[in-house]
Amino acid sequence: MHAAMITRVVSSTLVVTCVLVIASCSAPLPRLDRYSGDASWNMPDSRRNIPWKIADDGDLQDTLHLLLQDTDPDVRQHARNVETMLDALAMERRIRLEEILDEETDELDRITHWASSGDEGDRLPDGMDPMKTRSRLIDDALGAEQSGEFGSAARSATMAMALEWIIDDESMMKIPSLFPRRIASRNRDRLKNIRMVDPKIALEMLESEGAPEWIDDVDSNEGGSVRSGTSIRERIMNTARAIGYFEDLHVDGVDRETIHDAGVEELRLITRTLIQKGHLIPDAFVRYIENDLPERTDQETIRLLVELDDAQMTLAEGTLPGSFSMRVFGDGAAGAMDKQTSVIWPREFKQYVKSSGRGYRGIGVRIEEDVDGRIILRPHNGGPAKRAGVVDGDVLLEVEGIPIERIGAIGLADMVDEGDREEIELRVEHADDTSESVMVRLGPVTNLNVTGWRQIGLDEDGLPTWWWLADDRTRIGYLRLERFAAGGARDVRIALQIAQAQALSCGGRLEGLIIDLRANPGGQVTVAEEMINLFMGDGPVFRSIGRDDRMEIQHADPRHSELEGLPLVILVDESSASASELVAGLLKNRDRAIILGERTFGKGSVQGLLSGSSQDCLIRVTVAWYQLPVANGSPDEWRFVDRETSPGNWGVQPHIRISTSVEQTRKILDARSMWHSLRGADIPLDDGEGIKRPDPATELALALLGSRINDIREP
C-alpha cells in the first residue's frame, strides 16, 4: 500500500470516528432547573461579589481561622473537624512510616511504601532525600534498560515515579517529572513482548526484581466475542496503520524514516535480549535484524513490514510467535512519539474494553501483588466475587484446587476466560489468617461512573440508588466522577436532577455542590466541555494546538449553563489528569469554582483513538496539546497544562492545598463510593459503615460552601 493510500485510509477512519462521536452526543441532554431562575432568586449584585472565606495566600490554617469565626455553628464544626481529621491522618502516617522501617528489608520496597504512605511535609525515616533517591533510581532504570533487564528498569522507574507523591510542588516544577513514566511504560511493554515469546524468561525478569505482573483485572469480556488472534494480513496492516497514523496525524510531525528507525532499534533490542536470556533464534534472522533491516528504513511502510514479516516466517524457523516482529516494531515506532501515543494490540484489547466500558461479564476482581509476591484481591462493588464472600484485601491461595504459585495471575485470567465457564472456586486467606473456599459464579460487573454521598437502595436493575446531598440543612450536593467516559455528561445531569428533587424535599433548591475529581484520570474532552458548560454560559473554554500550530478554540454554550452561579467546590489530587484538569482549571480561572486538594497531574494532550486493520486493535495518537485561558488575563493569554510543554508551571494549582497520602486517598475514595448488592455476602454490616473514613478535603468543602451560602443570602 502506497503512502497516499495509507493517508486515505487514515482520513476515512477519522471521518467514521467523528460520525460515531457526533451520533453518540446528538441526543438532547437532560435539563436541570436553573439556579438563577428560581423564584426565590433575588440576590442583589452587591452580594454576588462577596468573597469566599479563604485566606489571601490560600494558607489552610489561616482559612480555618476565618471559618472558625463564622456565625454559623455548623460551619465552625466542619472547620474543627478538618483540624481533627488532619491530626488523625498525620498520626496515622507517622505510625505507618515507622512500621515500614521495621517491616521492610529491601530498599526499593521501603521506598515504595514510604512514597504511598507519606505526604509532602512528613519526616521520612532513615533521613531519605526523595529528590536524590529519585535521581539515582532513574539512573538505575536507564542502566538496567540498556543491559536488557526490563523488569529491573520498570521497577526502578516506577519507584522513581512514586517518589513524586512526597516531593513538594516547588521542587517538582524544577525536574523532568515525566522521564521515569516513559521508562516504566516502555519497559512494561517490553516485558509483555518477552512474555509473548518465552513466558519463563519474562517471569524470571519479574521474579528477580520482585516486580508485579501489572495485571489490573482478570475478568472476561461480555460474551467472549473478541478474537484471540489475527491473520497475517491483519497483523501487518495493524502495524502499517499505526505508523501511518503516527506520520500523518501526530502533533509533532515526526517523519517516516525516524519512525521506522525507532521500530528497527526496538526489534534489535528485544531480539538481543531474548538471545542473551537463552532463547534460541537462528543466526540468519539475527543477521537480518542486525544488518539488513536497518538499511531498509527509507522504504514505504507497507513494503518494509511485508519484507520483515516474510523474513521472520522464513528465517526464524518458528522460534518466534507470528505477531512478534509486527508488534515489537509498532511499539518501537510509538516510542518515537510522546508518552501517550501507543497501540492497543489484540492481546490487550479485551482488557482495554473492560476497563473503559460500563460493564462486562466476569468475577469482578482487581488484582494487586504485594512485596512478598502474594496476590491480593480487590473485589468490585456489587460484583460476583463480593457477593460470594471475597473481602477486600484477601490473599488468593488456590484456583480450582491449584496453588496460585503454579498458575499465577495470568492463569487465573485464562481460567475465568474459558468460554463455557459459569463458576470458579477460589481459596482465600482473610485478614484474621483464616482461610476458606469461595465459589464465585460469573456474572455482570458494572463500572459505575458517577456515585453520590451514600447508597439508599437498589433500582430494578440491581444498581445502587444514591442520596446526593452531603448536607440536608444547607442543601449541598455531592457527586464523584470516576472518569470522563462516554455518556458522562448525561450521568452527571441525571444525578443532579435527582439532587435537585431531594433538595426540594428538604425545603428548597440546591444551594451548593461538591464535585470530587480525585484520582480521575480524564477521558473524553466532549464530556469535560459539557460539564464546564453547566457552570458558565459564555467565553472560551479551552484551546487546542495541533500540528503546524493549527488552533481551535472551544466556547461555552449559554443554552446549557443551568447551574451558572451555583456555589461550587471541586476536589482534586495529584492523580487528577487530562479532562479533570480542563474542568478544574477553567472553572478556577473563570472564578466559577473553588479548587481544593493538590496540584493536578499535568496531562494536557488530546488523543485520537483510531481503529487498526482488525476489529481488536486500536491506535492512540496525540493530535494536539491543549491550553487554558490565563486567570484574569487578556483574551489572548493562554497557558499549557502538560508537564512536557510547560515544565515550570504544569497542571492546576488548588486555591488551598489540603492533602493526604496516596494510600489514605485510596481508602477515602473506596469508602465514599462504596455500595452493596444486598445479596449473598455483600450486605453492609451497618448503615454508613463505609463512609466514616476521615476526609478533610470534603469537610473543608462543606465548611466553605456553608459559609458562602449564608453570606450570599439576604440578611
Side-chain angles (χ1 to χ4, degrees), residues 128-197:
M128 185 190 75
D129 184 332
M131 288 283 287
K132 292 181 180 178
T133 305
R134 177 185 180 277
S135 178
R136 175 171 60 81
L137 287 170
I138 291 174
D139 291 340
D140 291 346
L142 290 172
E145 182 179 52
Q146 291 169 2
S147 63
E149 297 297 333
F150 305 138
S152 178
R155 189 180 187 208
S156 294
T158 301
M159 300 308 102
M161 289 191 317
L163 286 173
E164 296 176 3
W165 296 330
I166 53 176
I167 297 174
D168 65 90
D169 287 347
E170 187 175 341
S171 298
M172 280 292 297
M173 291 292 144
K174 301 174 183 177
I175 59 177
S177 54
L178 278 182
F179 197 36
R181 297 178 189 277
R182 287 195 178 204
I183 301 172
S185 177
R186 67 189 179 220
N187 282 288
R188 290 175 185 176
D189 286 340
R190 287 165 178 161
L191 282 166
K192 292 176 184 177
N193 289 332
I194 293 288
R195 181 188 288 127
M196 176 177 65
V197 177

Side-chain angles (χ1 to χ4, degrees), residues 453-610:
W453 187 248
R454 57 184 171 86
Q455 181 185 6
I456 56 176
L458 295 172
D459 64 16
E460 61 275 10
D461 296 320
L463 298 179
T465 54
W466 298 93
W467 188 256
W468 298 95
L469 300 185
D471 188 309
D472 295 357
R473 184 183 69 84
T474 51
R475 300 187 295 281
I476 296 172
Y478 169 94
L479 66 85
R480 166 164 163 70
L481 189 63
E482 186 82 17
R483 60 198 182 283
F484 287 81
R490 178 173 299 276
D491 292 342
V492 167
R493 282 176 169 267
I494 290 173
L496 289 173
Q497 277 185 334
I498 300 172
Q500 286 183 329
Q502 291 173 349
L504 286 173
S505 73
C506 292
R509 64 176 182 180
L510 188 69
E511 295 284 4
L513 181 63
I514 302 169
I515 297 178
D516 196 339
L517 298 181
R518 289 175 291 185
N520 184 315
Q524 295 190 2
V525 172
T526 53
V527 179
E529 288 181 58
E530 290 163 346
M531 193 160 178
I532 289 169
N533 213 160
L534 267 173
F535 306 101
M536 58 176 284
D538 62 351
V541 175
F542 73 94
R543 180 170 78 174
S544 60
I545 300 181
R547 195 159 174 168
D548 301 323
D549 292 329
R550 292 192 297 269
M551 297 183 187
E552 183 177 350
I553 300 177
Q554 302 295 328
H555 288 80
D557 185 343
R559 295 172 300 173
H560 296 158
S561 56
E562 297 102 302
L563 300 186
E564 187 166 20
L566 178 73
L568 174 65
V569 172
I570 299 176
L571 309 181
V572 297
D573 67 0
E574 61 256 307
S575 297
S576 304
S578 192
S580 294
E581 296 173 287
L582 273 179
V583 172
L586 191 281
L587 294 177
K588 176 194 176 188
N589 292 350
R590 291 300 186 229
D591 295 326
R592 299 304 205 278
I594 297 298
I595 313 300
L596 303 181
E598 300 170 86
R599 182 182 288 275
T600 58
F601 180 84
K603 191 269 185 186
S605 55
V606 179
Q607 278 71 49
L609 187 62
L610 303 147

